[in-house]
Amino acid sequence: AMSGACVRIFFGSQSGTAYAFAEDLRDDAVARGFAAEVFDPEHFDAEDFCSSCSPVVIIVANTGDGQPPDNAIAFHKWLMDPETPQNAVMGVPFAVFGLGDRSYLHFNRVGIEMDKALNRLGGVCIHPLGLGDDNVDITKDFQQWKEGGLWAALAQAAGRAAQHEMHVEPAPPVEDELEVVLGGSLEDPGNSQAEASDVISRFYFYGIRTRITVVQELRQQPHSEEGRSTTHIELDTSGSAELASYSAADTLELLPENDPDEVSKLLPLLGLDEAQLDLEVHFRGRDSHVPPTKRPFPTPCTLREALSRYCDIHRPPTRRMLTAMSHRLPHEAREFVAQFLCESSSWNMLQDEDLAWTQAEFWSALLGPHQTLDLSAFLLYCPRQRPRPYTIASSPAATPGRIHICASLVARAVAPSLASAVLELVARGALPQSAEAPPRAATLRKGVCSQWLSARLRPGQEVLVRARGSALRLAREDVPIIMIGAGAGVAPFRAFWTEITADKSSRRRSAPRVLFFGCRRPDEDWIYRAEMEEAAARVFTGLPSAPDERNTDRPLSELHLAFSRQPGGGRYVQDALRGCTSRVRDWVSASGVIYMCGSQRMGRDVLAALAEILDGGMAAVDALRAEGRLIAELWGEGPASVSPPQAEALAPPMESVFSPPRRGCDLAAPQPAAEHCDDMPTPDAVRQLIESRRSVFPKDYTGSEVPDTLVQRLLSVARWAPTHGKTEPWRFVVYAGEARHRLIDATLAHYRSRGVAFWKEAWSGEFEGFEAFSQHVEKQRRDKWLRCSNLVSICMKRQRPELGKRIFPEHEEIAAVACAVQNMHLLAASLGVAAYWSSWFEHFTGSADGLELHGLDRSAGDMWLGVFCIGQSERIERYRGCRRGIADIAELRSSCAAEKAEMEVCEVATESTAVTLPSELPGPRRRSKRTVAKGLILTCLGMRQRIPPAVAHRAPSPSSTLVETGRSAKAQSTTADAVAKLIEFRRSIFPKDYTGEDIPDSTVRDLLGVARWAPTHGKTEPWRFVIFSGEARQKLIDATLGYYADRSQEFWREAWGGEFVGFPAFEAHVERQRKEKWLRGSHL
């Protein structure tokens, strides 16, 4: 262990995030050899703080309008007090990390103030101030701050401090001094004498119990199974002076309850049954029967309440939980837990957000059906359930004795199975060989709190809540008020208009009060519609018709509506703003105040619109924020239907892009409808053809030749890859007859001079040296390659700028080659020709020798991608195998939820048995620069207004070198002529010619369903499709813009041949594409 003074970690936390960061920092510090302890500054003692030279790390959140969290008020007050001595912390090493949100006016003010105050009072800053932004990725900000030099600074500071003071071991965690007693009649004085053991459990002890009075669905057409539901909830405040004193648009924190089904899954792992859930839980000290003062949650309570309310069982174990529980696990399980704790890749897989392990899933995989967990350890160390914040949608002036909130159901797609993850962890030694993946019933994971509120909460139930202030405060001056909200983001503005209604003096104001509101459709999810219409004097729908004029004595002067799924073209709140450009400019000039509430994406779009509208652009927008006249409550990246500002409502992260098959997968646009060409095969015939199109191992070829005419016919369909003819980089070199030996001999020659070190690394040491490798190749020559009629080298010859064409990105050209090869495979299936794809030998295909053999230029970016084997076989049918369904590879993202198709049962047939395949893909593979993963190939799916009758123009034939060829075989039921015509008809249609109409999800599933029939023998199926539809299309486009936003001028001079002079020009191009192309497609 590293010697040195104890690192003191102080946290200021309101909702628990800063506390969690502090615990993570302590665990990381201990793992690195430091002595470290976490301190809660609620009972701050200045003398204790100043008397030690041990390094201090402060992790503090910003709450409300730049105020310190409740537990850090005393500490902050002491630091800011002018009476505090100027040398109070003289020589104390310190570092500060602040947690904030740039959508608020005073971003990270508390952290900034503490950093300055510690410097002013004589402290020594050992690491730059860190500022986390919850508007982007606060966890990533914290990790970067930690790994950016903090550990070296702490090591140096702790070493210096240790020379001046005696080392004191940190006090053990409260939980280590406790044990749980289930049932019995243990004397327990209850919670009157108890204290919370940490900042999260403080909510359990000091939260207010209140009664639910109303639970009501707000949407006209809810679809909870798809994650589309918004619930109006009313709570009784008459029994609490604290709750009754809330202000309009404050924040209500509410403690959720876990899904009972998830609680039930834990019982066998704890060695319990349902009847024991109603037994009482008590705490006692390990060395005494006297109940301890500090507890992680209030007791006595039932076991059901402990597991439902106080344990976060929907997330995987934390590092702290595994470390603390390790010594109470069976011996074998301890070794696996140690692997998780010391091996980062296993740990990352456990914490992966796409896999989304629950407590029950992890412990079930680790322990199996015959081992159990220690109940006491589980209840003590399981992560604590955090309260969720909601913006209050009511005013005490309008509804005394009541608080209203609206909560939208939060849902995100998760991996449909953990099978591949379990196999991977077994291989890494993190799970036992006997580990089995626990079954999953659904691939749509709903939020713990939002699901509870929408599905299980009933009037009369008691809930635990607390109210606190927020940055949203209705302006008291008679100035224009501009409110912008989408979906449940209207909550604070409902509070505003009800307060204005109740306050007669407010209604006498002359300045306009304008609401811009957006949702999908007026008859589907226009929440609070009747109230909103009643509150507005004038309603603007965005349609050509005149506004709906009402009585002017209304709390809202104007209501501007934006429906994103409106027939004839949807629009968003930012579009409604742009439609009022001159008036918005006038309102702002008249000292108007702008409020925004909704998703971060909506916020960015609104800010961009305001920058267009206001004189001065974004600088004017920033000035408004600095003046406190632009106030935003934004959350996540999710759809605008998520209730603000839920901690759980962060949108699912962009899916990891799994590497496509080694040489790319066909991402062509869907085919024109059959009626446009009467003699083309039907969709069912095409599907059958695709399913019969599979690789046949050359060892099962007969050695018979395929005629040159058929080989040329196969090559001819390559030119119909759907690339608009912009890039046709394919090149085929066909080896037949004796020429096949030339390719094999050249391969051997390349490896002949390789040394011992190479053979130790290559193919994981499979061959001891060249002699063993040569024997392998000669066996392959005899048993496989000479049984083929033709070996076709698939090459990519890059477009040359000197030909007058801009060189295309490598990934686009590889995809074009992949489409060309797929065409060949499709036609081969219709001709009854056996075909097989081989990547050949990777070192040779990428070498100068291999490229020169095929007339390729490495310096120009040319590639040899592999070999396509053609031949005859009588055993084709044995290779007809089933593939996994699209549920494993496709995720459908719309505006409100991620949706996946139902799972398909997938089996692979062999000669005598049926083996069930894992239904989940393995984790993301490392990207190779020689695969399509260098870029994401997008396909736009949309309805065409018309399909041109003529096929696209192509060059007469692909560039090919025919060395020698061979002979033919039988035809399939689908004629080769029909398939050739279908392939010729398969071309891209520019999205600018799409109509903008939606394609049904079922059709999209059908299109993706055939992806599983790529001819890879099931050995590798790494594809993954993330489908963006509806509002989610904007997310993909916005992410693209965000990626390029901070690029340098040097980048723009090089990128795309200097086509764009900078980001503004690029952004204008993308926005034009967004409007004219991508939003006209139904799906990306």
Side-chain angles (χ1 to χ4, degrees), residues 323-345:
T323 303
M325 289 187 65
S326 178
H327 68 283
R328 302 200 198 182
L329 294 173
H331 180 74
E332 182 185 5
R334 294 181 201 175
E335 297 179 1
F336 296 118
V337 166
Q339 180 69 13
F340 275 108
L341 294 174
C342 70
E343 207 263 309
S344 60
S345 58

Side-chain angles (χ1 to χ4, degrees), residues 244-250 392-400 402 404 472-477 481 483 491-509 513 531 535 554-556 595:
S245 63
Y246 81 94
S247 298
D250 269 358
I392 293 176
S394 60
S395 161
T399 56
R402 295 286 186 274
H404 300 179
L472 297 168
R473 284 285 181 270
L474 181 61
R476 298 303 174 188
E477 301 82 7
I481 297 172
M483 297 164 278
F493 310 135
R494 180 179 184 264
F496 286 176
W497 84 59
T498 57
E499 178 152 303
I500 294 170
T501 301
D503 184 358
K504 292 183 170 54
S505 62
S506 296
R507 294 171 64 177
R508 290 194 292 269
R509 297 179 182 181
R513 299 174 297 271
E531 293 184 31
R554 305 284 180 98
L556 297 178
Y595 300 90

Side-chain angles (χ1 to χ4, degrees), residues 665-725:
C665 51
D666 184 6
L667 300 180
Q671 311 313 317
E675 56 266 23
H676 291 285
C677 187
D678 294 335
D679 57 348
M680 282 200 302
T682 66
D684 286 341
V686 172
R687 183 182 286 105
Q688 182 180 5
L689 176 68
I690 290 172
E691 291 181 4
S692 69
R693 182 198 67 169
R694 66 270 178 208
S695 293
V696 179
F697 285 111
K699 66 183 178 63
D700 289 327
Y701 288 13
T702 63
S704 301
E705 293 182 355
V706 175
D708 292 357
T709 54
L710 287 187
V711 176
Q712 287 287 10
R713 189 169 184 182
L714 290 176
L715 295 178
S716 69
V717 296
R719 57 188 168 148
W720 299 106
T723 55
H724 309 290

Side-chain angles (χ1 to χ4, degrees), residues 63-95:
T63 68
D65 193 18
Q67 303 302 315
D70 292 344
N71 75 315
I73 290 175
F75 182 35
H76 180 263
K77 182 178 180 181
W78 178 79
L79 286 174
M80 304 306 294
D81 190 345
E83 301 299 320
T84 301
Q86 290 298 304
N87 61 350
V89 295
M90 182 63 67
V92 174
F94 75 89

Side-chain angles (χ1 to χ4, degrees), residues 890-907:
E891 173 193 349
L892 179 61
R893 291 184 178 177
S894 60
S895 61
C896 294
E899 178 185 19
K900 285 190 177 180
E902 293 182 359
M903 289 285 296
E904 295 182 23
V905 178
C906 301
E907 295 182 341

Side-chain angles (χ1 to χ4, degrees), residues 971-988:
Q972 301 288 319
S973 57
T974 304
T975 68
D977 288 342
V979 172
K981 183 174 286 292
L982 177 67
I983 290 171
E984 291 180 5
F985 209 69
R986 185 190 71 164
R987 68 248 179 233
S988 294

